[in-house]
């Protein structure tokens, strides 16, 4: 993907984001309020949750802080590509981009870079606020393991997101892929509670979702300082998910573009 | 073989309504099979302004979308500068500039310059040249003073000019202009027409494909034109060729007194006038006779002589050549009747 094209998209999105100043500020306030809310929920839950969280160090606040940060990444991975297409279709800019030599795949991938950057920034900020203001214990984090898990999980979510964009390309709205993953992952993957509190049959279903492995590995890396070799099982499973989902999703996306070009609905919404 | 910058052969685009699951999941505006572009074969030469004329829904925009790779043809092929629009779409997009007049095709919260920087990067204008190119196209379109204003503060005319400026960034060899003077006032329309004639085609040697409804625009700008009706090209050539095709005739309007309508009709019948109409425009005894006639004036002289010898007085004689609009309507209506 050409770097100057990526830079052009990031600059475009930054200028537009900055031009809505109130929304820009409110996002920070909202993030702070979210972290504060979970801090007080963790005080309410207190030691009662500790037996279920033993493998992550027993602290609910740190546990849930990593969970909500991670679900943010899932959200952007699942939604950024289809949102980029949807926005360009409804704004009317898609056809103007598609008559340039820049390929549609590049347009879609580059359109989502700002969302990933912004989400990374907000997640880092919420972890810093959680640690410095509310005393979350994140000091033991293994940065290399966290980074590897983050990259692998982002690739898997992006693959699913590109699938979702393919559906949007053809159906315009009502994409079942992001609906399925978006609505069930937070619950079944254990964002707000450990999956061990779920019934056994649901725990088995949770194993089918990449977020289960991503969250578990990330929590171990951040809260317990687990090294790559200690979380290699989860890392390998995430890599396998990425190796299957990404090529399949790019193939599906190209097919969807061909269908839209045939139907004449490329710029329609 | 002649080198054309743009050529199509048997180009056809048929839209079919969705079936199966897609029909169930999404309501489509297409309820029956529509052939929007039907067996179109045409060529555009280097440096010429080629007009594409047709009534609403004739298939002009669909044809432009096929040529600019936004749509895939059902049958036939199109080549732009020798590149196939399906198999070499990337190469095609490197040599074309497309004015998408739709004002929503810009980012409203970005300035004109920021919009051009963004689209220029996508158009693969080298980074070192981009600033200079932006200044150049803004100057060409007379927008240099508004370069740093947000797009949403622009008037319709300025938006249209910016759309043309954007399409020129990568110095295209073929420029597609879809209704460039739509939604602009007469002053801006004239300015845009002058630009197309002098700067975008004339001096630069670039080929321009201009889709328009406006006949006077086509007449002033186009070297050749194609008339499209129900997806089919019903005429392709120069305006003099069109004139020959529809008949080298002019319209005569005679206003006279001292002749009643019935006598005028008999006169028209006697001289076998073409398309005669007789009207009484007022209550002052005036009668108006209209008919089509050849340029030589023989038929008109004979009619005038008979009016005078019958005791009538000729008040006025008006003759005018058929304009492009009349010829266009003649072709389109003739085609509609034939089909």
């Amino acid at each position: 993907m050409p770097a100057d094209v990526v830079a052009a998209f990031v600059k475009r999105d930054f200028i537009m984001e900055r031009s809505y100043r109130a929304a820009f500020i409110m996002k920070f306030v909202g993030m702070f309020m979210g972290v504060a809310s979970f801090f007080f929920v963790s005080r309410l839950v207190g030691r009662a949750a500790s037996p279920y969280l033993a493998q992550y160090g027993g602290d609910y606040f740190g546990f849930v802080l990593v969970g909500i940060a991670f679900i943010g990444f899932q959200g952007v991975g699942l939604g950024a590509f289809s949102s980029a297409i949807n926005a360009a279709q409804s704004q009317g800019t898609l056809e103007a981009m598609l008559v340039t030599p820049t390929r549609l795949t590049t347009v879609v991938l580059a359109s989502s870079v700002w969302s990933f950057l912004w989400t990374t920034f907000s997640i880092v900020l919420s972890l810093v606020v959680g640690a410095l203001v509310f005393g979350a214990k994140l000091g033991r984090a293994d940065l290399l393991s966290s980074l590897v898990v983050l990259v692998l999980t982002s690739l898997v979510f992006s693959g699913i997101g590109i699938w979702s964009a393919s559906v949007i390309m053809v159906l315009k709205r009502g994409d079942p892929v992001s609906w399925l993953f978006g609505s069930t992952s937070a619950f079944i993957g254990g964002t707000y509670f450990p999956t061990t509190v779920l019934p056994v049959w649901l725990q088995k279903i949770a194993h089918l979702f990449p977020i289960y492995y991503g969250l578990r590995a990330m929590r171990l890396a951040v809260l317990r300082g687990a090294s790559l070799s200690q979380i290699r099982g989860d890392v390998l499973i995430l890599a396998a998910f990425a190796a299957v989902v990404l090529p399949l999703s790019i193939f599906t996306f190209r097919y969807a573009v061909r269908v839209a070009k045939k139907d004449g609905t490329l710029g329609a919404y | 073989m002649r080198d054309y910058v743009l050529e199509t052969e048997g180009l056809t685009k048929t839209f079919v309504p969705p079936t199966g699951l897609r029909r169930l999941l999404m309501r489509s505006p297409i309820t029956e099979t529509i052939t929007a572009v039907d067996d179109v074969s045409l060529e555009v030469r280097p440096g010429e302004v080629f007009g594409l004329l047709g009534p609403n829904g004739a298939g002009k925009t669909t044809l432009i979308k096929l040529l600019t790779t936004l749509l895939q043809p059902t049958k036939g092929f199109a080549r732009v500068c020798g590149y196939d629009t399906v198999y070499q779409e990337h190469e095609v997009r490197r040599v074309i500039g497309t004015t998408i007049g739709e004002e929503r095709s810009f980012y409203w919260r970005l300035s004109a310059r920021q919009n051009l920087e963004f689209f220029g990067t996508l158009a693969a204008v080298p980074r070192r040249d981009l600033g200079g190119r932006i200044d150049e196209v803004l100057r060409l379109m007379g927008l240099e003073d508004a370069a740093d204003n947000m797009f949403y503060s622009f008037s319709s005319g300025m938006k249209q000019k910016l759309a043309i400026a954007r399409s020129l960034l990568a110095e295209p060899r073929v420029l597609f202009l879809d209704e460039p003077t739509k939604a602009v006032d007469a002053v801006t329309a004239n300015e845009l027409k002058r630009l197309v004639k002098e700067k975008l085609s004339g001096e630069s040697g670039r080929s321009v494909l201009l889709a328009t409804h406006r006949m006077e625009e086509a007449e002033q700008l186009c070297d050749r034109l194609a008339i499209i009706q129900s997806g089919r090209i019903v005429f392709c050539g120069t305006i003099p060729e069109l004139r020959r095709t529809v008949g080298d005739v002019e319209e005569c309007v005679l206003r006279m007194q001292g002749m009643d309508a019935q006598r005028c009709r008999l006169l028209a019948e006697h001289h076998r006038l073409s398309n005669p109409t007789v009207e009484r425009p007022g209550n002052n005894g005036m009668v108006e006779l209209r008919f089509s006639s050849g340029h030589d004036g023989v038929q008109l002289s004979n009619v005038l002589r008979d009016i005078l010898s019958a005791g009538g007085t000729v008040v006025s004689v008006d003759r005018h050549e058929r304009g492009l609009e009349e010829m266009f309507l003649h072709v389109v209506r003739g085609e509609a009747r034939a089909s």
Side-chain angles (χ1 to χ4, degrees):
Chain A
M1 197 162 45
D4 54 345
V5 172
V6 175
F9 274 94
V10 170
K11 187 178 173 188
R12 174 203 71 175
D13 292 333
F14 174 71
I15 294 169
M16 290 204 288
E17 191 81 41
R18 196 186 51 179
S19 76
Y20 295 102
R21 287 177 191 160
F24 199 64
I25 295 164
M26 280 158 69
K27 275 184 183 169
F28 285 105
V29 177
M31 182 273 299
F32 184 84
M33 302 288 273
V35 173
S37 301
F38 281 107
F39 171 71
F40 290 108
V41 169
S42 74
R43 287 183 70 178
L44 176 73
V45 172
R47 291 179 176 277
S50 295
Y52 299 102
L53 304 174
Q55 66 166 323
Y56 303 114
D59 171 35
Y60 181 71
F61 183 52
F63 173 88
V64 79
L65 198 58
V66 175
I68 53 170
F70 208 71
I71 206 76
F73 253 113
Q74 180 193 262
V76 74
L78 287 181
F81 305 101
S82 51
S83 302
I85 289 180
N86 215 278
Q89 282 172 331
S90 54
Q91 281 167 357
T93 50
L94 187 64
E95 287 194 347
M97 290 192 264
L98 295 185
V99 291
T100 69
T102 302
R103 292 174 199 279
L104 180 56
T105 318
T106 307
V107 168
V108 173
L109 293 177
S111 298
S112 63
V113 171
W114 169 257
S115 302
F116 276 101
L117 287 177
W118 174 254
T119 307
T120 307
F121 176 68
S122 350
I123 284 171
V124 170
L125 199 66
S126 50
L127 292 177
V128 169
V129 168
L132 297 183
V133 180
F134 298 103
K137 298 181 185 77
L138 307 175
R140 293 179 62 189
D142 184 308
L143 288 180
L144 178 65
S145 305
S146 311
L147 194 66
V148 169
V149 173
L150 192 65
V151 168
L152 281 175
T153 319
S154 298
L155 288 177
V156 177
F157 289 153
S158 298
I160 300 167
I162 294 168
W163 244 335
S164 157
S166 314
V167 179
I168 288 294
M169 184 58 82
V170 176
L171 294 183
K172 313 303 172 192
R173 280 190 192 184
D175 134 47
V177 180
S178 60
W179 171 79
L180 176 71
F181 281 90
S183 59
T184 55
S185 287
F187 166 65
I188 216 164
T191 305
Y192 305 106
F193 47 81
T195 51
T196 47
V197 301
L198 291 171
V200 175
W201 64 273
L202 262 180
Q203 288 183 41
K204 284 181 179 162
I205 292 176
H207 286 75
L208 300 173
F209 287 78
I211 193 170
Y212 169 83
Y213 304 98
L215 257 177
R216 187 169 67 181
M218 184 59 99
R219 279 178 173 138
L220 289 172
V222 173
L223 302 174
R224 302 301 300 266
S227 66
L228 268 180
S229 64
Q230 287 171 304
I231 55 170
R232 66 180 177 279
D234 288 339
V235 167
L236 284 174
I237 292 171
L238 286 171
F241 264 118
V244 173
V245 170
L246 264 179
L248 259 179
S249 65
I250 287 171
F251 174 79
T252 315
F253 185 71
R254 285 187 177 151
Y255 177 73
V257 173
R258 276 206 303 276
V259 169
K261 276 192 168 188
K262 207 172 132 204
D263 289 352
T265 59
L266 207 55
Y269 62 97
Chain B
M1 200 182 91
R2 202 169 170 153
D3 279 340
Y4 297 110
V5 288
L6 194 156
E7 56 183 320
T8 71
E9 200 174 302
L11 195 67
T12 302
K13 180 66 195 175
T14 304
F15 295 108
V16 289
T19 52
L21 187 63
R22 284 177 56 208
R23 185 177 173 182
L24 192 72
L25 292 175
M26 193 183 73
R27 192 176 160 212
S28 168
I30 299 161
T31 52
E32 57 183 22
T33 301
I34 299 165
T35 302
V37 170
D38 191 1
D39 198 21
V40 166
S41 299
L42 51 83
E43 293 97 19
V44 176
R45 297 163 190 153
E48 82 176 338
V49 180
F50 188 89
L52 197 57
L53 271 76
N56 286 331
K60 299 187 297 291
T61 301
T62 305
L63 181 55
I64 287 186
K65 284 188 174 179
L66 286 165
L67 298 172
T68 55
T69 76
L70 288 171
L71 275 178
Q72 282 196 350
T74 312
K75 265 196 310 193
F77 72 83
R79 276 197 280 263
V80 181
C81 296
Y83 299 118
D84 188 284
T85 55
V86 175
Y87 301 107
Q88 295 168 296
E89 56 175 16
H90 194 66
E91 287 79 4
V92 169
R93 291 190 210 136
R94 284 192 178 277
V95 294
I96 62 169
T98 309
T99 297
I100 294 176
E102 176 59 67
E103 57 181 39
R104 293 187 312 117
S105 70
F106 283 98
Y107 297 101
W108 284 45
R109 298 187 77 83
L110 263 54
S111 70
R113 186 183 299 281
Q114 287 165 340
N115 265 296
L116 292 181
E117 272 169 10
F118 175 76
F119 286 106
T121 306
L122 266 60
V125 178
R127 197 170 175 72
R128 62 182 178 280
D129 303 336
L130 186 57
R133 281 297 298 153
I134 290 172
D135 288 339
E136 203 176 321
V137 294
L138 284 172
R139 199 166 39 246
L140 184 69
M141 303 311 295
L143 291 173
E144 62 269 49
D145 293 338
D148 296 314
N149 296 352
M150 270 195 190
F151 180 76
Y152 77 72
S153 69
F154 275 31
S155 67
S156 300
M158 290 164 83
K159 286 172 182 165
Q160 194 64 37
K161 284 179 181 175
L162 191 65
I164 297 177
R166 175 174 62 187
S167 66
L168 293 171
L169 277 172
E171 300 184 88
R173 288 170 62 191
V174 186
L175 185 63
F176 292 89
L177 297 175
D178 194 0
E179 309 273 359
T181 58
K182 185 175 72 177
V184 297
D185 60 46
V187 177
T188 313
N190 270 330
E191 218 177 307
L192 288 174
K193 280 187 278 190
R194 188 180 49 77
L195 268 164
V196 172
K197 194 73 187 169
E198 293 171 10
K199 306 280 183 189
L200 306 190
S201 58
E203 288 172 11
S204 66
R206 173 184 295 122
S207 303
V208 177
L209 192 140
L210 170 80
T212 183
H213 282 119
R214 298 190 176 185
M215 300 303 143
E216 85 286 354
E217 192 168 285
E219 207 156 13
Q220 289 164 20
L221 298 177
C222 299
D223 300 306
R224 289 193 309 135
L225 53 89
I227 297 177
I228 186 166
Q229 162 84 342
S230 305
R232 292 177 55 236
I233 300 288
V234 292
F235 171 81
C236 184
T238 60
I239 292 176
E241 283 167 353
L242 176 61
R243 205 176 288 290
R244 282 196 290 279
T245 304
V246 299
D248 191 12
V249 291
E250 58 183 18
E251 190 181 51
C252 294
V253 184
L254 303 183
R255 288 198 180 85
M256 65 202 97
Q257 284 189 316
M259 293 278 284
D260 60 27
Q262 182 56 27
R263 285 181 75 184
C264 277
R265 282 190 199 99
L266 288 171
L267 189 71
E269 212 172 295
H270 174 70
H271 286 280
R272 295 182 179 177
L273 299 182
S274 175
N275 305 318
T277 59
V278 178
E279 284 175 14
R280 296 180 67 91
N283 294 324
N284 53 359
M286 185 87 78
V287 179
E288 189 178 277
L289 170 64
R290 283 173 182 267
F291 61 97
S292 303
S293 156
H295 281 299
D296 57 14
V298 175
Q299 197 175 31
L300 177 63
S301 304
N302 292 338
V303 172
L304 287 171
R305 190 194 59 222
D306 282 4
I307 292 169
L308 295 173
S309 62
T313 309
V314 178
V315 177
S316 67
V317 180
D318 291 324
R319 301 166 69 187
H320 68 269
E321 279 195 330
R322 286 191 189 197
L324 180 59
E325 185 152 357
E326 282 174 81
M327 292 192 282
F328 168 77
L329 289 172
H330 181 92
V331 170
V332 167
R333 284 174 187 160
E335 190 59 31
R337 273 197 297 275
S339 61

